[in-house]
Amino acid sequence: MRMQLLSVLQSALEQSCQRRRTSVISPFLKYAKSHFRDVCDDVVESTFLDQRNQVLDFPCCLVVLHASTDESMSKILHLNRHSQIVHRLARGGVQEAIWAEILEIMWSSGHWPSPQKDLHPTCLMCGRLVCGPHKQMVQQLPSRPLRRLADESPVLKVNPDRLCRRISDPWMLEDAPVVRHCFWDPEDSESLRVSVKQVGYLSWDAVREHLESFSVQKTAEQCQSHWRELVNAEHDGTTQNTLRALENRSLGERWKRRDDSISAEMDAMMEETEVENVETDLGSGLILWCPLLACYLSPESSLARPPASLLPEQIQEDFLVGLSAFFRTPLVDRTGLLNQECSLRLAVLDPIPDMDEAFSKDLATIMDQRAESLLSLAAASNCKVEVLWSGGIDSTSLLIAFLRALQPHWRPGEGEGRCRGTLDPQGSDRMIVRCSADSIAEYPWFHEQVLLKLQGAGAIDLEPLADSEEVTALWEGPASRLTVTGECGDQIFGSQLLEAAFVKSELHAIYEQGLDAPWQETLLPCLLEMGVVRPDQKERWLAWFLPFVDRCPVKISTTFDLLWWLNLACKWQTVCLRLFQRRPSLSWADLKRIVHFFQTEDFQQWSFRPEHHAAKMPDHQRWSSYKQPLKEYIFEYTQDTNYFEHKLKAGSLCQVNDASQFVIMGVDDQLNIIRFGETCLSKRQMERMYPNDGLRKAFWKSREIEAQAERVV
């Protein structure tokens, strides 16, 4: 069947591909082969297909490592023969300097390469441009031999749907009794998915009414029951995951807009459009940064070490950049110790506090006091509190803290055996809950038994939050709202990387030895195996890293200890600022309008206490015990045993589809946005916008580091 399908595909594409090979792309291909002769084994024109064998016409290319018959590896740059940009370049009338610039952008568009042979360093496809201070990854391709069509032209089959990250192994719903079960055909089920995404935050009656627009007649109970069936089936893996798929089951309009912005920037380069210089005085350090910037500013960058690609050499030479590559997130050490030898000048906004030996608050008290203080702040500013609820542990716990403050005499419950207490119907004047279909899928019980009931009684308002484009545009929201997120919760309790002890990945040592193993036997071998640290640099790396370990208020011995400390000390600042990375300007007032619930000294002091540190994940052999204290706080309110016993940590912000067209290289301590062009891909664009070596003078300090090293010697 597979061979038959490939044969049909070859026949359909052969004539078009052959015409393109002989008449259009060949001169450009010849130039590209010559241009890249020292950095890759070959340059080819390839057809890219999705999983439905549809031709993809994204604007750029892909660098892939292919296995050969003799088990050696060859690095091949695949130009997309169906790209309009490639064809425009090939038609002539463009200077070779522009050819070179765009080819280098295509070559070096990725951020997080790995020296491991089965990962490719570059991907600029289907709008999935890995730019800005993200931890989002491109799709991995197996290092299989190069495949060809009947005309001998190469073909690559990719899966664009996998470029949207999804929750892995989420909490499973308990078996619920089927209420008035009825038959749903596939089209009706699809209509239900659409309805839940659009109006599910309101009520199941709203879903029922919305379904009627598709000529589907069901009761609210039937909608609710079938939604649970769909969620269970997708979480079980028995059906294709479509709850988070794009609406048109393809790349979607927003991906197209991203591709269009990339194409527009390259069109501007070919037309040599004038670029305005940045006249703002730059700050003294970066509070948010993209490792790509270090490559752009390095005076040693060349085609062999492309400025826009973090090659292993760059990762290994700058230890903080390397550690950031490991975490898939740019790090800023709040102790200041690890920042000292970074090639970029970094600035710390919120230094790590010293441990308060007299601190004695329990977690419930801190949660309740934080909610009360934010409600008071909102009241003093004549604002409503706007809570972003994902259904996860952090956002559910903080939402409960607000509900305990607003509705102290009410508790949820099913059946007549549990008293719900009295409700204040004026609560909706003080709080809005924003949620999405993903929120409902992650914790449907809470949506049904708490939020819908409170909304029905007028105690809260519910509003939809569709995707990341809305999340990252929250700073544009009305000044009458104080937006509260669950950011920094993960930093208080541990790290998403703890999951590596339970799910097989490239972090082999952590998976094999577990979270109780000494960190020197897990984290360091992972860094060495992944090429982040060279064996001959091990002792120098330890000399750089150990003072940071000793700075922790808690004794760092195990893998769990160190991953938590790295997350709290080094990832905190990026997490606090990442919602602001997609905007053209920034002010200190903006930073105050969006509040992260767990970003307080009290939560940090709580996490420093040895007894609390041990309670964050009491059973290091069981992933579901992660964030146990927060789950206990939730359980005290909900009495939902299933969520308490089985809910797993799952990232929320990274689950939504990020199709923003806005890309930045960093933010400095004067809140200047560092960016050039639409996609920050061209070093020449950077030099035009920041002339006279402006960015290097402001933020590059490698010469200072070298001078310090010479003084030490």
Side-chain angles (χ1 to χ4, degrees), residues 619-677:
D619 185 352
H620 289 174
Q621 308 300 316
R622 189 164 55 91
W623 182 225
S624 60
S625 72
Y626 181 46
K627 298 188 179 180
Q628 184 88 346
L630 281 184
K631 293 173 77 174
E632 291 172 352
Y633 182 81
I634 294 170
F635 179 73
E636 192 280 329
Y637 183 83
T638 65
Q639 295 298 299
D640 183 359
T641 304
N642 202 37
Y643 190 90
F644 176 73
E645 293 180 351
H646 302 296
K647 180 68 176 81
L648 303 179
K649 154 68 185 175
S652 300
L653 191 60
C654 64
Q655 306 302 331
V656 289
N657 298 323
D658 180 9
S660 173
Q661 297 165 264
F662 201 86
V663 176
I664 70 170
M665 285 291 102
V667 180
D668 69 16
D669 53 2
Q670 299 301 313
L671 299 188
N672 294 308
I673 306 293
I674 311 301
R675 73 186 302 250
F676 35 93

Side-chain angles (χ1 to χ4, degrees), residues 456-628:
I460 62 170
D461 274 342
L462 285 178
E463 292 184 1
L465 189 63
D467 54 30
S468 67
E469 192 151 297
E470 289 192 13
V471 171
T472 54
L474 286 169
W475 53 269
E476 294 179 317
S480 58
R481 296 186 181 188
L482 180 69
T483 301
V484 181
T485 82
E487 296 280 50
C488 297
D490 215 34
Q491 284 62 51
I492 295 297
F493 286 89
S495 169
Q496 181 68 55
L497 283 181
L498 298 172
E499 190 178 18
F502 307 93
V503 178
K504 190 173 270 190
S505 67
E506 68 270 22
L507 307 181
H508 301 120
I510 296 177
Y511 181 76
E512 292 166 0
Q513 301 196 46
L515 299 178
D516 289 324
W519 66 266
Q520 297 91 336
E521 298 177 9
T522 55
L523 183 66
L524 189 53
C526 285
L527 295 173
L528 289 165
E529 182 182 0
M530 296 175 70
V532 174
V533 177
R534 291 200 308 265
D536 63 333
Q537 293 285 343
K538 176 181 174 181
E539 295 305 319
R540 179 171 162 254
W541 187 90
L542 285 171
W544 168 78
F545 191 67
L546 287 175
F548 165 77
V549 174
D550 295 338
R551 171 66 176 79
C552 184
V554 177
K555 181 177 174 56
I556 300 297
S557 301
T558 68
T559 304
F560 177 88
D561 299 337
L562 184 60
L563 289 177
W564 160 74
W565 177 233
L566 279 167
N567 208 20
L568 181 74
C570 297
K571 196 175 170 184
W572 180 279
Q573 185 159 304
T574 300
V575 167
C576 290
L577 295 172
R578 62 187 175 189
L579 281 178
F580 300 95
Q581 68 189 14
R582 293 299 197 187
R583 59 168 304 168
S585 62
L586 191 59
S587 70
W588 296 110
D590 295 329
L591 298 184
K592 293 179 180 178
R593 205 190 71 73
I594 297 181
V595 176
H596 306 312
F597 189 87
F598 295 96
Q599 188 189 1
T600 70
E601 182 167 337
D602 273 2
F603 282 113
Q604 294 177 77
Q605 292 294 345
W606 179 89
S607 73
F608 292 159
R609 303 296 302 176
E611 63 272 23
H612 299 156
H613 180 65
K616 295 167 189 170
M617 186 176 178
D619 185 352
H620 289 174
Q621 308 300 316
R622 189 164 55 91
W623 182 225
S624 60
S625 72
Y626 181 46
K627 298 188 179 180
Q628 184 88 346

Side-chain angles (χ1 to χ4, degrees), residues 39-94:
V39 293
C40 66
D41 298 300
D42 199 5
V43 179
V44 298
E45 319 154 13
S46 296
T47 296
F48 290 82
L49 306 174
D50 65 13
Q51 297 301 296
R52 295 175 294 277
N53 293 315
Q54 299 296 309
V55 173
L56 299 170
D57 61 354
F58 56 86
C60 294
C61 68
L62 197 63
V63 175
V64 181
L65 289 163
H66 293 280
S68 302
T69 53
D70 59 357
E71 298 186 355
S72 63
M73 304 298 297
S74 59
K75 182 184 290 185
I76 298 178
L77 172 62
H78 294 261
L79 296 175
N80 188 351
R81 69 192 315 164
H82 297 274
S83 162
Q84 294 302 312
I85 290 292
V86 171
H87 286 291
R88 181 172 175 185
L89 290 168
R91 282 197 296 268
V94 178

